[in-house]
Amino acid sequence: MLTLLLLLVCIAGGATLYIWNAMQPVQPKTQPVAFTVVRGTGTSAIADTLEQKGLIRNALVFKAYVKFKQQGNAFQAGKYEAKPGVTFDQLIAKLSAGDVVKEEMIRFTIPEGFTIRQMADKLQKEGLADRQQFLQLANDPSAFDVALVRDIPKQAGLRYALEGYLFPETYELKKGSTTKDIIQTMLEQTQKRLNTISDLDAHLQQRGETLHQLLTVASLVEREVVVDDERPIVAGVIYNRLQQDKKLEIDATVQYMLDKQKERLYYKDLAVESPYNTYMHEGLPPGPIASPSLKSVVAALEPKATDYLFYVTKKDGTHKHLFAKTYKEHLHNI
């Protein structure tokens, strides 16, 4: 009986020593070891991976310890790094917190009022996108899974289908993101920002206006106005002229149809045939001429009611405008 008891004590002591030894950290190293936890991976497979990577001594003991701590269900998927020499508790804390390796990111800014071409040029110059592919995708809304693009009309004369639909913002994406990934993210941002406007669809329906028309007016406001409190006034002027069947005669639309921006437009520029030339054609251009800010979108949705039909930029450096109800007043302002 005594012999059996001694034998059991020795077995228990040996098992305890074995478990204690298996729980000890492996030999410390300065170089971190990378490992990946795929979504849906169980604790058992994670433990096996940790042992294979040399981060723990014994997968079976680790599994038992995690079960004892009742923490295995909190492990999160992702790419991890850990230095050999960490304890069981440190590994459990890292996996439970989702303390994954920070991925390298790219960062770029699209200014308000930028056109598709300006975006393509900027992103190629920064080595983030292929210019030609960007321009091709800008005419292929079906390539993107965003509700926003389903209402873009297929009409003649539209230069770029996604013009005005890519939100001007500072973006951070994973390094290696494709040109398509970039455009998809920008479209999603536009959708997100438009969703912040209360009852947008109801407002559009009440005004008898489509989202495409709204973004077109907003883009005109964006390119014409610098001072924020003038945005609703200029939007009101645009709608006033549309209601009275007057040509918009907006310089920014002529600038848009030209391959290169000019500091000054000449009469010959105003005579160039294009559906975007609002000096030649009544109504709105076929679509937006730039990416409007949210401020311009709201201004186009809620224009200020006035009798103004004209405006001209002041020459005092303030970027403000002088507004007029009649052409005679407008000439006086000029």
Side-chain angles (χ1 to χ4, degrees):
M1 187 69 179
L2 183 60
T3 303
L4 179 61
L5 183 61
L6 287 172
L7 180 61
L8 291 173
V9 169
C10 289
I11 292 173
T16 301
L17 182 62
Y18 173 80
I19 294 172
W20 181 86
N21 185 63
M23 289 180 62
Q24 297 310 299
V26 299
Q27 185 68 29
K29 293 181 181 178
T30 56
Q31 189 66 29
V33 174
F35 64 96
T36 301
V37 175
V38 179
R39 189 176 301 279
T41 303
T43 305
S44 181
I46 293 173
D48 291 339
T49 297
L50 294 175
E51 183 178 348
Q52 291 166 10
K53 292 289 185 177
L55 290 170
I56 59 174
R57 297 178 183 274
N58 190 297
L60 184 63
V61 174
F62 182 82
K63 284 181 270 188
Y65 186 77
V66 168
K67 189 173 183 180
F68 171 74
K69 298 279 283 187
Q70 297 182 336
Q71 290 182 313
N73 292 332
F75 290 173
Q76 299 182 43
K79 295 180 180 179
Y80 293 86
E81 281 186 354
K83 291 181 180 180
V86 294
T87 65
F88 277 12
D89 286 330
Q90 288 173 320
L91 284 169
I92 290 170
K94 179 181 284 287
L95 289 163
S96 297
D99 184 14
V100 297
V101 176
K102 298 292 185 293
E103 296 190 63
E104 284 192 78
M105 306 294 285
I106 60 172
R107 183 183 176 91
F108 62 91
T109 298
I110 300 298
E112 296 170 349
F114 252 40
T115 66
I116 289 288
R117 287 194 176 191
Q118 287 175 313
M119 293 178 199
D121 290 341
K122 186 176 192 292
L123 291 172
Q124 174 156 298
K125 186 178 180 181
E126 294 174 3
L128 302 177
D130 178 81
R131 181 183 186 277
Q132 195 57 40
Q133 188 180 16
F134 192 97
L135 296 178
Q136 289 174 353
L137 287 169
N139 262 330
D140 186 12
S142 63
F144 303 97
D145 184 24
V146 183
L148 179 72
V149 303
R150 297 171 194 159
D151 296 325
I152 298 176
K154 297 178 180 178
Q155 64 188 59
L158 199 60
R159 197 173 196 183
Y160 294 107
L162 296 185
E163 190 76 82
Y165 288 81
L166 305 183
F167 199 79
E169 180 69 275
T170 295
Y171 292 90
E172 278 195 352
L173 282 80
K174 294 178 183 177
K175 187 176 181 179
S177 293
T178 65
T179 301
K180 185 177 179 181
D181 293 334
I182 290 173
I183 295 177
Q184 174 75 24
T185 301
M186 295 174 74
L187 285 169
E188 290 173 355
Q189 182 67 4
T190 302
Q191 185 76 71
K192 180 180 176 182
R193 290 304 189 96
L194 290 177
N195 289 344
T196 65
I197 301 176
S198 179
D199 300 322
L200 174 60
D201 291 337
H203 275 84
L204 289 173
Q205 190 172 3
Q206 184 180 7
R207 293 176 58 82
E209 189 175 32
T210 67
L211 178 61
H212 188 73
Q213 291 170 328
L214 176 71
L215 292 177
T216 301
V217 174
S219 73
L220 300 178
V221 172
E222 188 65 46
R223 292 307 295 261
E224 290 285 286
V225 182
V226 174
V227 181
D228 286 346
D229 59 11
E230 289 190 348
R231 293 177 195 269
I233 304 174
V234 171
V237 172
I238 292 171
Y239 285 118
N240 286 346
R241 294 184 70 87
L242 290 173
Q243 288 168 4
Q244 295 187 27
D245 295 326
K246 293 181 180 295
K247 295 186 182 75
L248 293 180
E249 298 183 351
I250 291 178
D251 288 355
T253 63
V254 179
Q255 290 279 17
Y256 177 72
M257 71 187 190
L258 300 175
D259 288 332
K260 205 167 187 180
Q261 295 280 303
K262 292 186 174 183
E263 288 187 13
R264 180 183 176 187
L265 292 175
Y266 295 94
Y267 286 115
K268 65 178 182 179
D269 298 318
L270 306 184
V272 174
E273 173 54 44
S274 167
Y276 285 92
N277 189 341
T278 55
Y279 278 87
M280 296 185 69
H281 300 283
E282 291 182 3
L284 290 172
I289 62 170
S291 286
S293 62
L294 193 63
K295 292 175 291 189
S296 290
V297 175
V298 172
L301 189 65
E302 301 173 357
K304 187 175 181 62
T306 69
D307 294 326
Y308 295 141
L309 290 171
F310 304 90
Y311 58 87
V312 63
T313 306
K314 291 183 178 182
K315 305 304 179 185
D316 59 358
T318 63
H319 301 290
K320 290 186 176 183
H321 293 86
L322 293 170
F323 296 90
K325 299 176 183 178
T326 67
Y327 186 60
K328 184 178 179 180
E329 290 177 2
H330 181 55
L331 288 178
H332 175 74
N333 287 340
I334 292 174

